[in-house]
Amino acid sequence: MPPAGSRPVAPLDDDDYPAYTMGRAAEMLGTTPAFLRALGEHRLITPLRSEGGHRRYSRYQLRIAARARELVDQGTAIEAACRIVILEDQLAEAQRINERLRAEGSQPQPERSA
């Protein structure tokens, strides 16, 4: 039983809940289902599957797809756009870790040559 005063998280409140069908996701992004399939082929996003095997997308995945779409709309090839988004996310994560280590005062010291 949840603690008193807390409310359970509804699936639609969860950014990772696969709430959107491929058609609805494509409509929301102003793109085609083929674009979403291509993002999956390039491993940018991996939609969950319904019991019937249909792709389902979360709000988080749609935000990532929107970033890729912006790059493609600017003339970037879809493969490159997917790679750019992946690298941007990796860089942001590395920066978060670096900031946390600095705040903790445990930043690794560079190795010295002998």
Side-chain angles (χ1 to χ4, degrees):
M1 180 167 268
S6 71
R7 67 180 181 95
V9 175
L12 294 178
D13 290 338
D14 182 356
D15 254 7
D16 295 318
Y17 182 73
Y20 305 99
T21 63
M22 177 180 276
R24 179 69 179 128
E27 179 182 316
M28 290 170 67
L29 293 171
T31 190
T32 64
F35 177 80
L36 291 172
R37 282 192 294 275
L39 296 181
E41 290 168 11
H42 294 293
R43 298 183 181 178
L44 180 61
I45 56 176
T46 304
L48 292 175
R49 299 283 183 150
S50 68
E51 287 184 22
H54 300 283
R55 290 174 179 87
R56 305 286 295 192
Y57 296 89
S58 68
R59 286 190 304 232
Y60 174 74
Q61 289 172 323
L62 295 184
R63 283 195 300 273
I64 292 171
R67 288 170 54 202
R69 181 174 183 251
E70 286 177 19
L71 291 167
V72 170
D73 287 349
Q74 295 170 6
T76 306
I78 193 163
E79 307 88 55
C82 290
R83 187 69 182 139
I84 288 167
V85 171
I86 289 167
L87 289 171
E88 286 175 343
D89 285 351
Q90 288 173 345
L91 176 60
E93 178 64 16
Q95 289 171 330
R96 280 190 294 272
I97 291 168
N98 196 17
E99 286 298 317
R100 189 185 77 235
L101 291 174
R102 280 190 186 138
E104 293 172 359
S106 59
Q107 184 172 347
Q109 298 297 317
E111 290 186 28
R112 294 186 178 177
S113 305

